[in-house]
Amino acid sequence: MSGTPRRSAAALVYDKRGTDDAPRVVAKGYGLVADMIVKRAKEAGLYVHESPEMVNLLMQVDLDSRIPPRLYQAVAELLAWLHQVEAASSEQRAEAARAAASAAAAAAATPRLPPSWRDSAWRNASPVAPVTPPRRPKTSSSD
C-alpha cells in the first residue's frame, strides 16, 4: 500500500430559490473520476475549493442526496465565502467594463484624419525622407 492518499472530489449544487432545502451532492468519486469532476467544474467556470476534510465528509453523503444537518454550518460558511469571492470578482468585471467603455468613448471623441490622409499613399509614406549627402564633383589634380 502506498503512502499517497487517493484523490477524491465531490460536487455540490444548491438553488436557494428552487426546491432545494439544502445543498445536494451531485457528483463524487476517487482517482480518475475525481479528476474528471474537477476538470469539468473548471471547464464550466465553477470555483473548485480544495478541502480534504470537507471532501471526506461529503463522500459519506449518498449521491443526489441533501447534505445532513450536521454539515449545514460548514457548507454554509463555504457558500458565504464563495458568495463574497464571486461578488468581488463581479465588481472587478464591472470595473473593467466601465474602463473599457470609458476608453471606447475617448476613442470615439478623438478627431479623425481626413480621408485623403488615411489613404495608403500617406499611410505607407516614411515620416522622414532619407537624406543622401550630395556628391562632390571630382576635381582633377593637375597642380
Side-chain angles (χ1 to χ4, degrees):
M1 182 171 201
S2 73
T4 306
R6 289 192 299 179
R7 294 178 311 273
S8 58
L12 294 174
V13 66
Y14 180 57
D15 182 9
K16 64 182 176 183
R17 287 167 264 163
T19 59
D20 288 339
D21 296 332
R24 288 181 301 120
V25 175
V26 292
K28 64 180 186 173
Y30 295 99
L32 293 175
V33 174
D35 293 342
M36 288 304 297
I37 291 169
V38 171
K39 180 182 176 195
R40 296 246 172 118
K42 288 181 178 180
E43 287 173 352
L46 300 173
Y47 179 77
V48 176
H49 179 71
E50 295 184 27
S51 171
E53 299 82 11
M54 179 69 78
V55 172
N56 287 336
L57 293 170
L58 293 173
M59 293 301 280
Q60 298 171 24
V61 178
D62 290 334
L63 194 58
D64 206 33
S65 295
R66 290 183 191 94
I67 62 168
R70 65 185 170 90
L71 294 181
Y72 284 3
Q73 183 67 34
V75 172
E77 289 175 7
L78 175 62
L79 292 176
W81 177 80
L82 181 58
H83 180 70
Q84 290 175 343
V85 168
E86 288 177 342
S89 177
S90 175
E91 180 57 35
Q92 289 172 348
R93 285 192 302 269
E95 182 61 34
R98 284 192 292 274
S102 176
T110 303
R112 302 285 179 171
L113 295 175
S116 61
W117 288 34
R118 286 184 290 186
D119 66 18
S120 62
W122 285 98
R123 188 174 41 242
N124 295 330
S126 173
V128 177
V131 177
T132 306
R135 292 185 176 214
R136 292 186 182 182
K138 288 190 175 186
T139 58
S140 59
S141 57
S142 55
D143 294 21

